[in-house]
Amino acid sequence: MTKQEALYNYVLRLGDDSLILGQRLAELCGHGPILEEDIALTNISLDLIGQATLFLDYAGALGGEKKSNDDLAFLRLEKEYVNALLLEQPNGHFGDTIMRQFLFDAFRKPLLESLQHSSEKELASIAEKALKETKYHLKHSSEWVIRLGDGTDESHDKIQGSLHTLYRYSHELFFEDESDFLLQKSKIVPELNSIKLEWEKTVKNVFEMAGIALPENDWKFEGGRQGRHSEHMGFLLTELQYMQRTYPNMEW
Amino acid sequence: MLKLINLILITSDRKHCSISFVLVGVVYTYICLVNALFMKNIDIKSLEEKFQKKIDADIKIEPNDWMPDNYRATLIRQISQHAHSEIVGMLPEGNWITRAPNLRRKAVLLAKVQDEAGHGLYLYCATETLGADREETIDDLHSGKAKYSSIFNYPTLSWADMGAIGWLVDGAAIMNQVPLCRCSYGPYARAMVRVCKEESFHQRQGFEIMTKLASGTKEQKEMAQDALNRFWWPSLMMFGPSDADSKHTDQSMKWKIKRHTNDELRQQFVDITVPQAEMIGLTIPDNDLKWNESTKSYTYGAINWDEFWQVVGGNGPCNKERVDARRKAKEDGKWVVEAAMAFANKRSAKKSA
């Protein structure tokens, strides 16, 4: 594997995480629990679609076939998407949406903090831009986890339930394979061990303030990074790809 | 004054309280009451005159200024309807965000729908400056008591509908809203300045989508024409009933809440939009549409007012779905709002402890 191939795989993961979570949040537009949250979630979705646009554009240039960001976003097979399973999970209730977001933001922020200093200039500059948005996303999702955890009995039980459902997907955020190792060796990307330490610190701190507990069951799912998805993914892609599949090769 | 007389009656020694004393009290009360009513009439009349003078001199009315009850009620009705229209209007476009054909269109549509939520938010704030309660006005929407723009009760069936809505619906909204920037009520006028800037951006985006489709493949052209066919007449209906049937127009014009009649604005919309359709090669679905050289404007065919009143009355293709979606969002969000309030109370209790 060449460095360029490894970088393509790596950037594709960053792009797909943003794309798939952005698509999920877009489903909520117009249906948020209160108007202010409708705006906030739509805003986060918009940021993520913007990040996907940049990452996938970069990936397209790195790939052998010179694909555009739209080709990559809309015209791959399900097994070619490499987002983490966490991000394709359905929105559920507001607590589920917030917990999914929090587990991801707490990982994404330290990762981007490190990537903004990458020796690959393009990667560093996208990371720097995305970091600004991600800091706000993490602040927003942390505050809601705490608010729901320490709100009413009902909200406490709900957000605790969300954690039970989603925690088993968080392990996969730290998935590494030969692409990572190759790039780590050249100091282009950080080792995920160091990111995981930061993630654990944030998660522990916020859950403590929220008064919710980590599940004892520590079963760990993975598969998304290797293109093996959950049953939800096919439906998500059906919507995402509808226009491009129905009307191939057209300009919009 | 009544209180004072009661006080006298109560504190006087009941045993010596003669009938004549009570009689004097009653007569005095009566005189005071008549006097007060008379004064009140004069006061209101002079206040109304002063108010109208301000309006005539184009001086803005601000939240703390005196205003007639009907002016307040008319504004609350109009601004909350406008706010509801923004919020309900998120749904037909929200319907296509997850299916937008490319990343750029997805981002632009997300940003547009987010703008609409923002418009709704500051319009609800404008109703609050008039003493209305945001949640109560929203409950009126959910119960069917409050109306919103009838156009949003039509379904969005293809990607081209995102173009048609931006071009026609936002275009018609701008016609309605530009004069509102000069509306006599300050907070509404100022909100409209910002709303109009964003709406004209949306209108250009919509027209750009239509232009792209109209110059595209056969399927894309058909999609664009079909969207125009479905949205043209409902867009004309957005300006409301014809002047002869519009019950609020006269008073609203006198108060400078409204600056043009429904038919004037509708005509302006037709005159601007028809050449745009021609420019991109789409056909307006109206066989009676003709250029009138003497009036320098288009005459257009008869509007199906039965359809308009049916849709306004709740029988449009999506009325139930739109209101149900909004009601469901509020019901599903109830536990979230309760949690946020409970949390805020706990924190302020901790602070004061």
Side-chain angles (χ1 to χ4, degrees), chain B residues 101-118:
Chain B
N102 60 35
L103 290 167
R104 184 172 82 88
R105 295 290 185 199
K106 195 187 284 289
V108 171
L109 190 56
L110 268 165
K112 184 188 172 194
V113 180
Q114 192 193 13
D115 282 350
E116 280 153 14

PDB file of all heavy atoms in Angstrom, chain B residues 101-118:
ATOM      1  N   PRO B 101     -30.034  16.190  -4.861  1.00  0.00           N
ATOM      2  CA  PRO B 101     -29.259  15.439  -5.840  1.00  0.00           C
ATOM      3  C   PRO B 101     -27.735  15.544  -5.709  1.00  0.00           C
ATOM      4  O   PRO B 101     -27.014  14.715  -6.238  1.00  0.00           O
ATOM      5  CB  PRO B 101     -29.706  16.029  -7.186  1.00  0.00           C
ATOM      6  CG  PRO B 101     -30.206  17.392  -6.853  1.00  0.00           C
ATOM      7  CD  PRO B 101     -30.774  17.295  -5.480  1.00  0.00           C
ATOM      8  N   ASN B 102     -27.221  16.586  -5.069  1.00  0.00           N
ATOM      9  CA  ASN B 102     -25.765  16.637  -4.851  1.00  0.00           C
ATOM     10  C   ASN B 102     -25.459  17.387  -3.556  1.00  0.00           C
ATOM     11  O   ASN B 102     -26.368  17.924  -2.910  1.00  0.00           O
ATOM     12  CB  ASN B 102     -25.026  17.229  -6.066  1.00  0.00           C
ATOM     13  CG  ASN B 102     -25.463  18.647  -6.372  1.00  0.00           C
ATOM     14  OD1 ASN B 102     -25.757  19.423  -5.460  1.00  0.00           O
ATOM     15  ND2 ASN B 102     -25.530  18.990  -7.647  1.00  0.00           N
ATOM     16  N   LEU B 103     -24.189  17.406  -3.190  1.00  0.00           N
ATOM     17  CA  LEU B 103     -23.810  17.963  -1.887  1.00  0.00           C
ATOM     18  C   LEU B 103     -24.117  19.453  -1.800  1.00  0.00           C
ATOM     19  O   LEU B 103     -24.597  19.946  -0.776  1.00  0.00           O
ATOM     20  CB  LEU B 103     -22.320  17.715  -1.625  1.00  0.00           C
ATOM     21  CG  LEU B 103     -21.945  16.251  -1.352  1.00  0.00           C
ATOM     22  CD1 LEU B 103     -20.441  16.067  -1.434  1.00  0.00           C
ATOM     23  CD2 LEU B 103     -22.462  15.788   0.006  1.00  0.00           C
ATOM     24  N   ARG B 104     -23.841  20.180  -2.901  1.00  0.00           N
ATOM     25  CA  ARG B 104     -24.072  21.620  -2.870  1.00  0.00           C
ATOM     26  C   ARG B 104     -25.559  21.920  -2.691  1.00  0.00           C
ATOM     27  O   ARG B 104     -25.940  22.749  -1.866  1.00  0.00           O
ATOM     28  CB  ARG B 104     -23.559  22.278  -4.165  1.00  0.00           C
ATOM     29  CG  ARG B 104     -23.680  23.794  -4.142  1.00  0.00           C
ATOM     30  CD  ARG B 104     -23.005  24.452  -5.345  1.00  0.00           C
ATOM     31  NE  ARG B 104     -23.843  24.439  -6.533  1.00  0.00           N
ATOM     32  CZ  ARG B 104     -24.729  25.400  -6.829  1.00  0.00           C
ATOM     33  NH1 ARG B 104     -24.897  26.428  -6.019  1.00  0.00           N
ATOM     34  NH2 ARG B 104     -25.448  25.328  -7.927  1.00  0.00           N
ATOM     35  N   ARG B 105     -26.411  21.235  -3.445  1.00  0.00           N
ATOM     36  CA  ARG B 105     -27.854  21.472  -3.334  1.00  0.00           C
ATOM     37  C   ARG B 105     -28.361  21.096  -1.943  1.00  0.00           C
ATOM     38  O   ARG B 105     -29.256  21.741  -1.408  1.00  0.00           O
ATOM     39  CB  ARG B 105     -28.621  20.666  -4.386  1.00  0.00           C
ATOM     40  CG  ARG B 105     -28.343  21.074  -5.813  1.00  0.00           C
ATOM     41  CD  ARG B 105     -28.915  22.437  -6.136  1.00  0.00           C
ATOM     42  NE  ARG B 105     -28.727  22.761  -7.549  1.00  0.00           N
ATOM     43  CZ  ARG B 105     -28.787  23.987  -8.043  1.00  0.00           C
ATOM     44  NH1 ARG B 105     -29.030  25.014  -7.248  1.00  0.00           N
ATOM     45  NH2 ARG B 105     -28.617  24.197  -9.313  1.00  0.00           N
ATOM     46  N   LYS B 106     -27.797  20.044  -1.383  1.00  0.00           N
ATOM     47  CA  LYS B 106     -28.213  19.623  -0.037  1.00  0.00           C
ATOM     48  C   LYS B 106     -27.879  20.722   0.974  1.00  0.00           C
ATOM     49  O   LYS B 106     -28.714  21.099   1.796  1.00  0.00           O
ATOM     50  CB  LYS B 106     -27.529  18.302   0.341  1.00  0.00           C
ATOM     51  CG  LYS B 106     -28.160  17.596   1.555  1.00  0.00           C
ATOM     52  CD  LYS B 106     -27.355  16.374   1.994  1.00  0.00           C
ATOM     53  CE  LYS B 106     -27.510  15.168   1.120  1.00  0.00           C
ATOM     54  NZ  LYS B 106     -28.840  14.529   1.228  1.00  0.00           N
ATOM     55  N   ALA B 107     -26.650  21.246   0.887  1.00  0.00           N
ATOM     56  CA  ALA B 107     -26.232  22.288   1.835  1.00  0.00           C
ATOM     57  C   ALA B 107     -27.078  23.553   1.669  1.00  0.00           C
ATOM     58  O   ALA B 107     -27.520  24.152   2.657  1.00  0.00           O
ATOM     59  CB  ALA B 107     -24.747  22.609   1.635  1.00  0.00           C
ATOM     60  N   VAL B 108     -27.329  23.938   0.422  1.00  0.00           N
ATOM     61  CA  VAL B 108     -28.105  25.162   0.188  1.00  0.00           C
ATOM     62  C   VAL B 108     -29.536  25.004   0.713  1.00  0.00           C
ATOM     63  O   VAL B 108     -30.091  25.910   1.336  1.00  0.00           O
ATOM     64  CB  VAL B 108     -28.114  25.536  -1.320  1.00  0.00           C
ATOM     65  CG1 VAL B 108     -29.091  26.659  -1.602  1.00  0.00           C
ATOM     66  CG2 VAL B 108     -26.712  25.939  -1.775  1.00  0.00           C
ATOM     67  N   LEU B 109     -30.111  23.834   0.483  1.00  0.00           N
ATOM     68  CA  LEU B 109     -31.484  23.604   0.949  1.00  0.00           C
ATOM     69  C   LEU B 109     -31.554  23.585   2.479  1.00  0.00           C
ATOM     70  O   LEU B 109     -32.466  24.161   3.077  1.00  0.00           O
ATOM     71  CB  LEU B 109     -32.022  22.295   0.351  1.00  0.00           C
ATOM     72  CG  LEU B 109     -33.517  22.022   0.551  1.00  0.00           C
ATOM     73  CD1 LEU B 109     -34.379  23.154   0.014  1.00  0.00           C
ATOM     74  CD2 LEU B 109     -33.922  20.708  -0.135  1.00  0.00           C
ATOM     75  N   LEU B 110     -30.563  22.940   3.095  1.00  0.00           N
ATOM     76  CA  LEU B 110     -30.495  22.947   4.567  1.00  0.00           C
ATOM     77  C   LEU B 110     -30.435  24.385   5.090  1.00  0.00           C
ATOM     78  O   LEU B 110     -31.150  24.760   6.015  1.00  0.00           O
ATOM     79  CB  LEU B 110     -29.238  22.218   5.044  1.00  0.00           C
ATOM     80  CG  LEU B 110     -29.333  20.734   5.348  1.00  0.00           C
ATOM     81  CD1 LEU B 110     -27.931  20.147   5.445  1.00  0.00           C
ATOM     82  CD2 LEU B 110     -30.096  20.468   6.627  1.00  0.00           C
ATOM     83  N   ALA B 111     -29.560  25.187   4.465  1.00  0.00           N
ATOM     84  CA  ALA B 111     -29.389  26.570   4.916  1.00  0.00           C
ATOM     85  C   ALA B 111     -30.686  27.346   4.722  1.00  0.00           C
ATOM     86  O   ALA B 111     -31.081  28.148   5.564  1.00  0.00           O
ATOM     87  CB  ALA B 111     -28.254  27.237   4.139  1.00  0.00           C
ATOM     88  N   LYS B 112     -31.372  27.064   3.622  1.00  0.00           N
ATOM     89  CA  LYS B 112     -32.621  27.783   3.349  1.00  0.00           C
ATOM     90  C   LYS B 112     -33.682  27.453   4.403  1.00  0.00           C
ATOM     91  O   LYS B 112     -34.339  28.345   4.943  1.00  0.00           O
ATOM     92  CB  LYS B 112     -33.127  27.404   1.956  1.00  0.00           C
ATOM     93  CG  LYS B 112     -34.350  28.200   1.607  1.00  0.00           C
ATOM     94  CD  LYS B 112     -35.047  27.786   0.348  1.00  0.00           C
ATOM     95  CE  LYS B 112     -36.350  28.573   0.304  1.00  0.00           C
ATOM     96  NZ  LYS B 112     -37.305  28.091  -0.650  1.00  0.00           N
ATOM     97  N   VAL B 113     -33.849  26.165   4.677  1.00  0.00           N
ATOM     98  CA  VAL B 113     -34.882  25.775   5.639  1.00  0.00           C
ATOM     99  C   VAL B 113     -34.522  26.296   7.034  1.00  0.00           C
ATOM    100  O   VAL B 113     -35.389  26.696   7.808  1.00  0.00           O
ATOM    101  CB  VAL B 113     -35.100  24.248   5.613  1.00  0.00           C
ATOM    102  CG1 VAL B 113     -36.165  23.841   6.601  1.00  0.00           C
ATOM    103  CG2 VAL B 113     -35.522  23.801   4.219  1.00  0.00           C
ATOM    104  N   GLN B 114     -33.230  26.336   7.307  1.00  0.00           N
ATOM    105  CA  GLN B 114     -32.786  26.895   8.587  1.00  0.00           C
ATOM    106  C   GLN B 114     -33.124  28.391   8.670  1.00  0.00           C
ATOM    107  O   GLN B 114     -33.536  28.882   9.716  1.00  0.00           O
ATOM    108  CB  GLN B 114     -31.288  26.675   8.735  1.00  0.00           C
ATOM    109  CG  GLN B 114     -30.783  26.958  10.120  1.00  0.00           C
ATOM    110  CD  GLN B 114     -29.270  27.047  10.165  1.00  0.00           C
ATOM    111  OE1 GLN B 114     -28.607  27.124   9.135  1.00  0.00           O
ATOM    112  NE2 GLN B 114     -28.724  27.049  11.350  1.00  0.00           N
ATOM    113  N   ASP B 115     -32.940  29.105   7.558  1.00  0.00           N
ATOM    114  CA  ASP B 115     -33.327  30.521   7.519  1.00  0.00           C
ATOM    115  C   ASP B 115     -34.801  30.678   7.877  1.00  0.00           C
ATOM    116  O   ASP B 115     -35.193  31.593   8.605  1.00  0.00           O
ATOM    117  CB  ASP B 115     -33.152  31.102   6.105  1.00  0.00           C
ATOM    118  CG  ASP B 115     -31.697  31.427   5.781  1.00  0.00           C
ATOM    119  OD1 ASP B 115     -30.865  31.390   6.689  1.00  0.00           O
ATOM    120  OD2 ASP B 115     -31.420  31.715   4.600  1.00  0.00           O
ATOM    121  N   GLU B 116     -35.631  29.785   7.333  1.00  0.00           N
ATOM    122  CA  GLU B 116     -37.069  29.888   7.593  1.00  0.00           C
ATOM    123  C   GLU B 116     -37.378  29.705   9.074  1.00  0.00           C
ATOM    124  O   GLU B 116     -38.217  30.409   9.637  1.00  0.00           O
ATOM    125  CB  GLU B 116     -37.831  28.866   6.742  1.00  0.00           C
ATOM    126  CG  GLU B 116     -38.013  29.362   5.320  1.00  0.00           C
ATOM    127  CD  GLU B 116     -38.151  28.255   4.293  1.00  0.00           C
ATOM    128  OE1 GLU B 116     -38.372  27.098   4.673  1.00  0.00           O
ATOM    129  OE2 GLU B 116     -38.003  28.566   3.097  1.00  0.00           O
ATOM    130  N   ALA B 117     -36.674  28.754   9.705  1.00  0.00           N
ATOM    131  CA  ALA B 117     -36.859  28.570  11.152  1.00  0.00           C
ATOM    132  C   ALA B 117     -36.476  29.861  11.875  1.00  0.00           C
ATOM    133  O   ALA B 117     -37.161  30.291  12.813  1.00  0.00           O
ATOM    134  CB  ALA B 117     -36.004  27.409  11.655  1.00  0.00           C
ATOM    135  N   GLY B 118     -35.398  30.494  11.421  1.00  0.00           N
ATOM    136  CA  GLY B 118     -34.963  31.763  12.015  1.00  0.00           C
ATOM    137  C   GLY B 118     -36.017  32.846  11.838  1.00  0.00           C
ATOM    138  O   GLY B 118     -36.317  33.576  12.777  1.00  0.00           O
TER     139      GLY B 118
END
